[in-house]
Amino acid sequence: MSAKLQVSSHPLVKHKLSLLRDSATDHRKFRELSRELALLLCYEATQDLALTPTTVATPMGEAAGWEASELIGLVPILRAGLGLVDGIQELLPNVQVWHIGLYRDEETLRPVEYYNKLPAAPTVQVCLVLDPMLATGGSAIATVDILKRWGAQRIKFVGILAAPEGVEALANAHPDVSIHVAELDERLNEIGFIVPGLGDAGDRMFGT
Ligand code: PRP
């Protein structure tokens, strides 16, 4: 499996993922858990952010400090990626959010682009591609393709569940992109759903 794959071993991630998978979890709770998981996974995905030394005035005097000064862009893949934005914004209030609209053609399972309003040149130094599900990997690969054409230099994928097929496809297409997920599941089924998975993330998030 890809050296760039990071599956969380954090107990809170495991606990919350189990609740998220549960078919008895309603839409409201599903969104809440997705938000919390996104925050925890973003914490893990940003371990290598660059720091600039600084000084800070405390009530007692001057202390050495650090500033995480890289500009970060969140790139949620519509629709389900939207459910990961809020939690990360709590952790990183100054992020830019650039939406990419893709849906998976139900017959071919290939991604179809329907929304992209990226400006002409990159405005961030690190992009976090957000999508709860890395299934065939087609949507993530297409999004990274778009970001690289845009000129993005450092790109990470942050999701909740991945199938081995999706990890392999993304790692082959874009070996430089690290993949941060809560769990690596067993496989894809014949209609491209992750098994055992959690069902259709977009539908569970938005009540459709
Ligand atoms: C689902 C999911 C991912 C994509 C993953 O989206 O949210 O975006 O499929 O599949 P892939 O790795 O095989 O590309 P869907 O097309 O159902 O759209 P939605 O998020 O709008 O429901």
Side-chain angles (χ1 to χ4, degrees):
M1 207 34 82
S2 160
K4 288 279 198 175
L5 173 67
Q6 187 182 339
V7 178
S8 179
S9 55
H10 199 292
L12 289 179
V13 170
K14 291 180 180 298
H15 177 87
K16 289 176 190 295
L17 174 62
S18 304
L19 296 173
L20 190 78
R21 287 186 195 270
D22 191 336
S23 52
T25 294
D26 65 16
H27 304 311
R28 182 192 179 105
K29 187 73 183 164
F30 191 92
R31 284 193 295 273
E32 184 183 314
L33 289 162
S34 298
R35 193 181 72 236
E36 293 169 343
L37 281 164
L39 189 154
L40 293 167
L41 292 165
C42 175
Y43 176 78
E44 297 190 344
T46 49
Q47 280 183 85
D48 62 350
L49 283 189
L51 287 173
T52 310
T54 181
T55 52
V56 57
T58 80
M60 305 295 287
E62 199 171 79
W66 298 97
E67 188 185 5
S69 49
E70 287 181 293
L71 295 173
I72 299 172
L74 305 185
V75 186
I77 303 177
L78 304 178
R79 293 175 303 165
L82 287 177
L84 306 184
V85 172
D86 286 1
I88 297 182
Q89 278 183 312
E90 283 172 33
L91 196 62
L92 304 170
N94 296 324
V95 287
Q96 300 177 23
V97 184
W98 298 105
H99 303 84
I100 297 291
L102 295 176
Y103 68 87
R104 231 172 34 157
D105 182 290
E106 286 181 6
E107 306 258 300
T108 65
L109 297 183
R110 295 299 306 152
V112 181
E113 184 177 332
Y114 64 88
Y115 186 85
N116 175 356
K117 291 282 184 192
L118 288 169
T123 53
V124 294
Q125 285 146 341
V126 181
C127 289
L128 303 181
V129 174
L130 308 180
D131 192 331
M133 310 299 269
L134 184 65
T136 66
S139 304
I141 291 169
T143 301
V144 175
D145 286 341
I146 291 167
L147 294 176
K148 286 190 173 173
R149 282 200 298 274
W150 188 44
Q153 299 288 325
R154 288 176 65 202
I155 304 171
K156 296 162 179 280
F157 177 89
V158 179
I160 293 179
L161 286 184
E165 295 88 335
V167 172
E168 192 179 343
L170 179 55
N172 284 338
H174 296 293
D176 55 311
V177 172
S178 57
I179 302 169
H180 305 267
V181 291
E183 189 58 280
L184 177 66
D185 267 9
E186 286 167 32
R187 62 183 172 88
L188 287 183
N189 70 8
E190 57 289 347
I191 55 166
F193 274 60
I194 297 175
V195 179
L198 49 74
D200 187 313
D203 284 351
R204 294 192 68 184
M205 198 109 45
F206 298 113
T208 52

